[in-house]
Each structure stands twice: as C-alpha cells, then as structure tokens.
Amino acid sequence: MEEKGIKLAGTLLGPVSVAILETKEGYLVLPVGSLLPGSEAVLRRIESDRVVLALKDESLEIVLDSMQAGGGQ
C-alpha cells in the first residue's frame, strides 16, 4: 500500500458504506466488498475512522489521520 501511496481520506457510513482513499493518482470512492483497483486486495470493513483491506490470509488496517479528521487543530 505504501508504494501506491494509499491513505484513508474519509468514510461515509450507511446502508452502503464507502471509503474515500487518497492515492498518488487521485481519489477513489469504494464500497465495502470491492477490489482495490490494480490489486487483489478487498475492502473488507469500513468504520468511521478506519478501513480493513484483506488479501488472502493477510489483512491491513488503514486509520484516518487525526489531523485530517480535524482532531489536531
């Protein structure tokens, strides 16, 4: 994920929750259960301040930066 420069920019929770991911190429808006473009990683879970990506038996949690969320002012 580091080589793609993926960061969590935000989440929207609801009947169909989505994650807003920032990449080197721009932003992605992905619903839970979708594949990350250019990889086999699946967006497994979306919470208010984090997402969990899964690839086979491995998982990676990406946490929203508190500065982005307005907590570091």
Side-chain angles (χ1 to χ4, degrees):
M1 294 299 122
E2 282 184 26
E3 71 183 45
K4 293 183 181 256
I6 295 177
K7 297 178 185 175
L8 181 60
T11 61
L12 295 172
L13 303 178
V16 179
S17 296
V18 296
I20 304 163
L21 302 173
E22 182 180 355
T23 70
K24 291 179 181 177
E25 290 81 35
Y27 287 89
L28 300 171
V29 179
L30 301 172
V32 70
S34 61
L35 284 174
L36 217 60
S39 79
E40 295 180 22
V42 175
L43 185 54
R44 186 66 63 205
R45 189 171 73 235
I46 300 174
E47 297 177 11
S48 61
D49 64 343
R50 67 192 71 230
V51 296
V52 175
L53 301 172
L55 179 61
K56 299 179 183 172
D57 294 340
E58 297 180 38
S59 65
L60 172 68
E61 186 173 276
I62 302 174
V63 179
L64 184 64
D65 184 346
S66 62
M67 294 294 283
Q68 291 174 326
Q73 296 177 6

